[in-house]
Amino acid sequence: MEENNSRVLSLLGGLAIGIVGLQVFRKVLPWIYANVVGPKVFGSSVNLAKMGEWAVVTGSTDGIGKAYAKELARRGLKLVLISRSLDKLNGVAKEISDKYNVEVRVIDVDFTGGAEIYEKINNQIKGMDIGVLVNNVGISYSHPEYFLDCYKADPQFLRNIVSANIHSVTHMTALVLPTMVAKGRGVIINLSSTAGVIPNPLLSVYSSTKAFVNKFSDDLQTEYKDQGILIQSVQPGFVATNMSKIRKATIFAPSPETYVRSALSTLGIAGQTAGYLPHALLQLVIHLTEAVFGEQFARNVVLKNILGTRKRALRRLTKEQ
Ligand SMILES: NC(=O)c1ccc[n+]([C@@H]2O[C@H](COP(=O)([O-])OP(=O)(O)OC[C@H]3O[C@@H](n4cnc5c(N)ncnc54)[C@H](OP(=O)(O)O)[C@@H]3O)[C@@H](O)[C@H]2O)c1
């Protein structure tokens, strides 16, 4: 009897070790490769300058988009910068062309607009050898808020978030992909957010648009991988930009330049990536919390945190009025 029990126990022990081993093999090792060994030891093997003469970057006069533009110019690509304000665009174009000695063209459009803006963009990029597209433009709430309060305050604003964060990605992709497919090479980088992969109440429209970006990128990559197209969805946590309102860079909210250098080191290694190790660790902690304590517990922790942010923002707004 005792012998039987110990045999069952050792069988169960072996099974448990097997399951843990399988999880390590399936999840832990790929995570370590995608976030640490791949980018930091091997580095990206994608030669962006070989993809084509030009790179197009949306939302490129500030923050992460401007940092992508500068890094692509440093690697020798000519640039098409697309943002709202022509003055800001001309300023950034001069800054980049003076520093990196590459041709920079600008297109001023407001991505909250309709189909007409894509006609304007198409007319200006038609025939260009575009090798890289960075779908970076994005807008978010001024502060976390309940959906109905947002809707009541300004239904058009929620529509604008969808136009700038979703329609820009699909339309811009549709404009440049045919040339890339014809050449059999090209890179499309889509800016999602950690908000799209973790619970993110009170920013629900913004975070849903970012979940769309992940799904769209993932399925599109499967469709066009065999045609030589690389599509990456990048999911930053906080980066010190106008959008986050974080002025001073820290390890968990890096400068856009630090973030972009890190994200580009994952290109060709990870299709869906936080792009920066501290942000990948943050996602991991939240996913582990969900796995160990349950999804509801993780949602409650995030909600409490975001309610705190909302309270501080509303207090600041009241003071300013
Ligand atoms: N910063 C973060 O913490 C963070 C975290 C996760 C994800 N992201 C994502 O990263 C991307 C870039 O964010 P960011 O923080 O760099 O933003 P940002 O500093 O606010 O810069 C946004 C850029 O987009 C342009 N832009 C804004 N609205 C536009 C519109 N309606 N039409 C055309 N251009 C417009 C702005 O230029 P003009 O004002 O001159 O047009 C600016 O160049 C976004 O997709 C965002 O969702 C950011």
Side-chain angles (χ1 to χ4, degrees):
M1 179 74 174
E2 234 170 59
E3 204 179 302
N4 267 355
N5 278 351
S6 77
R7 207 178 280 163
V8 169
L9 277 178
S10 73
L11 207 72
L12 285 176
L15 195 68
I17 291 171
I19 290 172
V20 171
L22 196 70
Q23 286 303 317
V24 169
F25 197 69
R26 281 189 56 233
K27 299 233 165 107
V28 181
L29 293 182
W31 189 94
I32 292 173
Y33 179 74
N35 293 290
V36 187
V37 178
K40 301 214 181 301
V41 179
F42 299 115
S44 171
S45 60
V46 180
N47 186 341
L48 290 165
K50 286 234 165 93
M51 295 292 147
E53 238 186 316
W54 291 87
V56 175
V57 186
T58 67
S60 38
T61 48
D62 256 316
I64 296 172
K66 183 177 174 186
Y68 266 108
K70 286 195 294 192
E71 187 55 29
L72 293 168
R74 195 184 69 78
R75 294 180 188 204
L77 283 120
K78 299 175 183 174
L79 295 175
V80 179
L81 306 180
I82 313 182
S83 269
R84 245 178 331 197
S85 144
L86 189 57
D87 281 352
K88 262 168 89 179
L89 277 165
N90 285 332
V92 173
K94 182 166 176 358
E95 180 189 330
I96 294 180
S97 60
D98 284 353
K99 182 154 184 196
Y100 299 105
N101 198 23
V102 295
E103 188 178 343
V104 184
R105 296 188 191 169
V106 301
I107 305 176
D108 60 319
V109 295
D110 185 335
F111 279 106
T112 62
E116 71 288 349
I117 60 177
Y118 300 100
E119 242 176 82
K120 175 172 173 176
I121 295 170
N122 194 30
N123 286 337
Q124 300 198 34
I125 65 172
K126 226 181 329 185
M128 292 169 90
D129 174 18
I130 295 168
V132 181
L133 167 65
V134 184
N135 277 314
N136 164 80
V137 71
I139 53 178
S140 183
Y141 300 24
S142 60
H143 62 269
E145 193 47 276
Y146 286 92
F147 171 71
L148 283 180
D149 291 322
C150 281
Y151 193 79
K152 251 188 275 164
D154 188 0
Q156 183 60 40
F157 180 64
L158 296 184
R159 181 179 278 266
N160 288 348
I161 294 185
V162 174
S163 299
N165 298 8
I166 292 184
H167 293 315
S168 71
V169 177
T170 54
H171 284 256
M172 288 305 303
T173 300
L175 290 187
V176 303
L177 196 53
T179 317
M180 291 180 173
V181 168
K183 287 185 306 180
R185 61 181 190 276
V187 169
I188 299 178
I189 298 171
N190 294 327
L191 264 291
S192 170
S193 167
T194 291
V197 290
I198 64 166
N200 215 250
L202 280 78
L203 290 166
S204 54
V205 177
Y206 172 75
S207 53
S208 309
T209 62
K210 294 303 178 178
F212 169 91
V213 172
N214 290 329
K215 179 74 175 141
F216 176 67
S217 307
D218 194 38
D219 286 340
L220 203 70
Q221 176 63 103
T222 309
E223 282 178 46
Y224 288 96
K225 191 171 190 276
D226 291 345
Q227 303 193 49
I229 314 298
L230 184 63
I231 298 166
Q232 185 186 47
S233 177
V234 177
Q235 307 152 351
F238 285 124
V239 178
T241 68
N242 291 342
M243 179 183 277
S244 65
K245 301 191 184 74
I246 297 171
R247 293 216 172 85
K248 203 169 172 302
T250 63
I251 179 114
F252 280 102
S255 71
E257 290 77 16
T258 301
Y259 178 78
V260 165
R261 265 196 310 275
S262 168
L264 281 173
S265 73
T266 69
L267 196 62
I269 293 168
Q272 307 259 318
T273 177
Y276 175 67
L277 187 56
H279 292 172
L281 288 169
L282 181 80
Q283 285 188 17
L284 184 67
V285 166
I286 292 171
H287 292 318
L288 284 176
T289 307
E290 286 175 328
V292 175
F293 299 105
E295 288 181 0
Q296 198 51 49
F297 177 81
R299 284 187 194 123
N300 290 343
V301 171
V302 175
L303 177 62
K304 198 165 164 221
N305 198 283
I306 296 186
L307 278 171
T309 310
R310 173 177 176 267
K311 202 166 161 188
R312 284 192 296 279
L314 290 179
R315 215 183 292 140
R316 215 175 20 247
L317 278 177
T318 317
K319 251 193 217 162
E320 281 165 15
Q321 279 161 7

